[in-house]
Amino acid sequence: MHQAVVSLIGRDHPVELPVWRSFWDRLHTGGLLRGEAAALLAALSTRMPDRVTLHALLASLDERRPPRPAGPFAGAVNIVGTGGGPATFNISTAAAFVAAAMGVPVVKTGSRAYTSRFGSIDLLTRLGITPTTSYEHTQAVLEHCGIAFAGFFVYPQEVTLLARAAAPLDIRCLGSFVNTLGPFLADMPVAAQVTGVSRPRHLRALGHAAEHVSRATGRSVWLAVNEAGADELLAFTTNTIRAYEDGADSEFALSPGALGLGPGRPDDLAVPEGGVERSAALFLDVLAGRCGRAARETVCLNAAALAVAGRLTGDWHEALAAADAVLRHGSALPLVERLRSLEAAHA
């Protein structure tokens, strides 16, 4: 059995960079033993790896990526969660549109549903918006619309190969680690990334991942957690943010009272019954400002976080007011139509 698998199962010592390189080499050449890919995924998903193992894992994937254009998305931000937590409507996607309407350039990564009913890709597909297929395509859409949704090309090829090697086992059951670490697997050269973490027990390991990404790319990375266990900021409970930027890390809290936000509960953000069509309709209602206070303020808080993390402003109240104005005037809705029109023009 490969040393990477043995070490992850035994937890007796870290998996260092040369071992990861060897594992990926064997994965690419079909040299793994039957069951080794499944065993690796199961070991990673059972318990998050230590700092050395995680840094080496990410570094080994970084060095295998194909070349990409240098710094194509200067000043852009990303918002993406780790999955899990209460079933809510697509808050981060709504916040991405609102932030873009505020003038914040946004390039968002995401996936299809994994732990939720509908992932961001499921929603976008229903709205008639297709994710981009290359960095050049992403840059063109960003320049035209102020927002772009990156496709699967940003993720390492090794993730797909692992899923194939583990078949017929379902990676959605076996590979929860891939979904949890997903925000840090995407090679998206933005200036800042806001990542909601639904499971506090993963915060330490994801902090290691955020540290690696921030130091390797210069990206500002925020990890956000709250008592409700949501993988996005919530307006009605205290959110704790761990920020990794400028070679250091710090922590601060966002309190509803201090920000002038009102009461609410996770049920106010619930996914409606009726399938993806109803979910898409609710999403458009939110962007039009036709939603309850808790939903409106939660979207505004996440949009404001993108403005602050991206350093367009340091004033949370100013950012919240700008996001609220976008929702009240429905200013984000034209961006949906612009992306749809762009897709139709290239069909």
Side-chain angles (χ1 to χ4, degrees):
M1 187 174 291
H2 194 277
Q3 186 58 47
V5 180
V6 173
S7 297
L8 287 171
I9 292 175
R11 302 285 172 173
D12 50 354
H13 58 270
V15 182
E16 298 190 357
L17 185 57
V19 179
W20 281 117
R21 286 171 174 163
S22 170
F23 183 85
W24 302 132
D25 286 343
R26 289 198 191 178
L27 177 66
H28 276 266
T29 60
L32 292 178
L33 299 174
R34 182 177 178 85
E36 282 190 311
L40 181 113
L41 286 168
L44 288 171
S45 297
T46 300
R47 180 182 172 187
M48 293 288 279
D50 59 86
R51 180 178 182 273
V52 172
T53 296
L54 194 49
H55 277 225
L57 166 62
L58 292 172
S60 71
L61 292 172
D62 288 344
E63 65 186 20
R64 303 182 74 95
R65 297 181 193 273
R68 59 168 168 76
F73 312 126
V77 298
N78 182 16
I79 180 169
V80 58
T82 60
T88 65
F89 69 89
N90 298 78
I91 293 169
S92 63
T93 306
F97 275 105
V98 172
M102 293 163 58
V104 181
V106 179
V107 179
K108 177 168 167 45
T109 58
S111 63
R112 293 198 179 276
Y114 186 91
T115 56
S116 61
R117 271 193 210 171
F118 309 113
S120 60
I121 301 299
D122 301 299
L123 174 67
L124 293 172
T125 299
R126 183 63 187 87
L127 292 174
I129 299 170
T130 301
T132 60
T133 57
S134 68
Y135 292 107
E136 293 80 7
H137 184 196
T138 305
Q139 179 66 27
V141 174
L142 180 63
E143 290 177 354
H144 184 76
C145 301
I147 183 172
F149 293 90
F152 294 117
F153 72 92
V154 299
Y155 295 100
Q157 182 185 8
E158 287 71 22
V159 173
T160 301
L161 293 176
L162 274 174
R164 290 175 181 170
L169 299 178
D170 190 342
I171 194 172
R172 290 176 299 176
C173 300
L174 188 65
S176 62
F177 170 81
V178 174
N179 191 67
T180 302
L181 195 64
F184 306 99
L185 294 176
D187 184 21
M188 182 46 60
V190 293
Q193 174 176 312
V194 177
T195 299
V197 180
S198 62
R199 299 176 178 87
R201 70 178 184 274
H202 291 159
L203 190 58
R204 182 176 181 180
L206 291 177
H208 298 328
E211 176 190 31
H212 170 85
V213 168
S214 181
R215 291 184 177 180
T217 67
R219 187 186 315 166
S220 174
V221 181
W222 287 9
L223 300 180
V225 293
N226 50 61
E227 291 183 355
D231 71 337
E232 54 265 316
L233 298 169
L234 298 182
F236 45 81
T237 190
T238 298
N239 302 275
T240 301
I241 293 179
R242 190 81 175 176
Y244 298 81
E245 48 196 0
D246 301 326
D249 62 275
S250 59
E251 186 174 293
F252 62 94
L254 295 175
S255 169
L259 294 173
L261 302 173
R265 55 181 184 170
D267 287 350
D268 296 329
L269 313 173
V271 178
E273 296 294 335
V276 68
E277 292 80 9
R278 180 68 188 95
S279 185
L282 172 64
F283 180 83
L284 294 175
D285 282 344
V286 170
L287 291 189
R290 298 189 293 268
C291 57
R293 178 177 180 176
R296 185 182 74 250
E297 290 185 342
T298 291
V299 171
C300 287
L301 180 60
N302 284 272
L306 291 177
V308 176
R311 301 184 180 181
L312 274 76
T313 180
D315 188 326
W316 282 91
H317 290 88
E318 176 185 299
L320 282 166
D324 186 68
V326 166
L327 285 185
R328 290 186 183 279
H329 293 94
S331 306
L333 282 173
L335 293 179
V336 177
E337 293 304 321
R338 191 177 302 175
L339 285 167
R340 281 174 171 167
S341 300
L342 195 64
E343 176 63 25
H346 288 81

